[in-house]
Amino acid sequence: MILRTHYSGEITPNLNGAEVTLAGWAHEIRDLGGVAFLVLRDREGLAQITLVKKLVDKAMFKSIRSISRESVVQVKGIVKAEPKAPRGFEVLPSEVNVLSAAETPLPLDPTEKVDCELDTRLDARFMDIRRPAALAVFEIESAVLRALRDFFYEKGITEVFTPKIVAAATEGGTDLFPISYFEREAFLNQSPQLYKQMLMAAGMDRVFEIGPIFRAEEHDTRRHLNEAISIDVEVSFKDDQDVMELLEQAVAKAYQYVAKNCSEQFKVLGLDLQVPKVPFRRITYTEALELASERENVHMQWGDDLDTETEKFLGSAIGEHYFLTDWPSSIKPYYSMPYEDKPEISRGFDLMHPRMELASGAQRVHDYNLLVERIKSKGLDPAGFEFYLKAFRYGMPPHAGWGLGLSRLVMTMLNLENIRDAVIFPRDRRRLVP
Ligand code: ATP
Ligand code: MN
């Protein structure tokens, strides 16, 4: 038996008279006595199934009433153009089968008639994503990934995977999740940073990786999770300026692609996407500090990291994507290249959306001795980085790269309040299931 011949979105009034089989969920059932409506929902939307009591089999008419909402149903019937129906057609069924009945009560209402707490939604995520607005987010996310991958392939960048189970921290520190690895301790990787750099020594020249990063940060914010997807790029014989260009192009491509290919999803979300214009503004850390110091009662010292409030202030002052460049070396990681003539400043940069940081990158230190010195200056022990440092002793090209947070890109693109709305099964301090 064919379970489905068409999605609801494939049916148009000009299929009038055709026999189709639809399959999906019982979104709504209305029994008006002489006529009953079953609204079937699939990935593409809703379809109205109309049963006129006088015209259909009695048993079938009766059985409609006993279908519980959100049961999986299959309907075979004839398409009838019907201007009064929501999408200009209805289906007059010859067969209605319940493939999987839903229990009652439902953990939440996918028809969005009642508002629902985020926690309730996440607890029953499978049901939550039946809501078209939740589904649209993840369909757009998939399109973003496709656009980015296409862009990387176009630029001759090779996709790689690096290990997520590692022996040492990328940047030292306490943000690591320890795991037991046979008779040893291991960790979940904070970022592919060290590995993608080693691939520059391997002569892979340009690599990208899209994969999870793990941060054991305890903070509870709307833009941090303990597991996130990072889009990482590293390229040889390029500098910070080159990879900033690559980054802004990647972001613009993602916007352009979804603007072109996800119009249905944007309609569902009620959003009108504005594609950001490249090049993005470049603002040095020092300029940003001056701007931020215009606020009353704010006294910031050169060398201070920019806190959330400052990021927000700058974001609303600037109002569009921008790069923050020329950071103090003291607050950028050891692998960021200091300027030769003013080593207190580094060739690290952040890509900012007015609401938050989206990406960090830098021209990297490729000189072995400088790297060792930089590791020590951060209070770290080079001995712990031997597997990484080794790659710098036998011919390491100059290189640069960045890491971009997928969910932050999507949440800012779609104006979502909470990063949890951009992650199917988010992991935070309190949430480990589902
Ligand atoms: P922040 O300062 O916002 O906490 P970060 O500077 O610690 O971020 P990086 O180490 O620079 O983060 O990671 C690169 C990118 O990965 C970030 O710009 C962000 O988009 C994403 N990212 C990092 N940590 C998280 C997290 N805990 N949850 C979600 N995304 C993250
Ligand atoms: Mn960062």
Side-chain angles (χ1 to χ4, degrees), residues 155-216:
K155 293 277 170 189
I157 308 179
T158 305
E159 182 162 18
V160 297
F161 293 103
T162 63
K164 304 306 150 203
I165 303 175
V166 297
T170 308
E171 295 169 40
T174 50
D175 321 342
L176 283 166
F177 284 115
I179 57 169
S180 77
Y181 192 72
F182 305 106
E183 41 296 304
R184 270 179 294 169
E185 184 176 53
F187 304 95
L188 294 176
N189 208 2
Q190 287 168 306
S191 99
Q193 182 63 34
L194 307 188
Y195 290 93
K196 62 181 182 170
Q197 286 193 262
M198 288 189 278
L199 295 180
M200 299 299 98
M204 291 193 76
D205 205 68
R206 303 164 189 203
V207 300
F208 80 92
E209 174 166 13
I210 299 176
I213 57 172
F214 303 92
R215 307 268 167 114

Side-chain angles (χ1 to χ4, degrees), residues 56-277:
V56 299
D57 177 72
K58 246 193 205 138
M60 181 166 82
F61 190 85
K62 227 174 132 193
S63 75
I64 292 294
R65 270 186 257 170
S66 64
I67 297 176
S68 54
R69 284 177 50 218
E70 294 304 317
S71 293
V72 173
V73 293
Q74 179 200 32
V75 175
K76 192 167 164 183
I78 305 292
V79 177
K80 180 167 164 252
E82 172 51 70
K84 276 182 283 175
R87 294 171 56 186
F89 75 89
E90 58 185 3
V91 173
L92 306 177
S94 55
E95 224 180 280
V96 176
N97 298 318
V98 175
L99 303 182
S100 172
E103 281 181 24
T104 49
L106 299 170
L108 58 84
D109 181 8
T111 61
E112 300 188 297
K113 284 186 180 129
V114 274
D115 271 344
C116 195
E117 296 281 327
L118 179 62
D119 268 327
T120 310
R121 291 178 29 220
L122 294 176
D123 284 341
R125 194 57 150 164
F126 69 89
M127 182 70 72
D128 182 45
I129 296 176
R130 292 185 195 177
R131 292 185 309 114
L135 176 62
V137 170
F138 301 111
E139 288 177 333
I140 292 170
E141 180 185 82
S142 168
V144 163
L145 285 166
R146 177 171 176 177
L148 291 173
R149 282 205 168 89
D150 283 351
F151 174 69
F152 295 149
Y153 297 145
E154 242 170 62
K155 293 277 170 189
I157 308 179
T158 305
E159 182 162 18
V160 297
F161 293 103
T162 63
K164 304 306 150 203
I165 303 175
V166 297
T170 308
E171 295 169 40
T174 50
D175 321 342
L176 283 166
F177 284 115
I179 57 169
S180 77
Y181 192 72
F182 305 106
E183 41 296 304
R184 270 179 294 169
E185 184 176 53
F187 304 95
L188 294 176
N189 208 2
Q190 287 168 306
S191 99
Q193 182 63 34
L194 307 188
Y195 290 93
K196 62 181 182 170
Q197 286 193 262
M198 288 189 278
L199 295 180
M200 299 299 98
M204 291 193 76
D205 205 68
R206 303 164 189 203
V207 300
F208 80 92
E209 174 166 13
I210 299 176
I213 57 172
F214 303 92
R215 307 268 167 114
E217 297 155 340
E218 296 201 6
H219 46 215
D220 182 12
T221 80
R222 284 186 278 188
R223 61 180 209 288
H224 289 94
L225 288 171
N226 296 109
E227 178 178 335
I229 300 297
S230 178
I231 300 151
D232 270 272
V233 166
E234 204 67 28
V235 288
S236 291
F237 306 102
K238 297 281 183 193
D239 67 11
D240 46 332
Q241 301 302 325
D242 298 322
V243 295
M244 278 160 66
E245 262 173 50
L246 191 73
L247 177 51
E248 65 192 355
Q249 282 173 21
V251 169
K253 285 273 174 178
Y255 270 81
Q256 285 157 9
Y257 185 87
V258 299
K260 190 163 166 229
N261 295 285
C262 299
S263 50
E264 283 302 318
Q265 285 80 3
F266 281 102
K267 211 189 295 163
V268 166
L269 292 171
L271 279 180
D272 179 22
L273 185 70
Q274 302 298 321
V275 178
K277 290 200 178 56

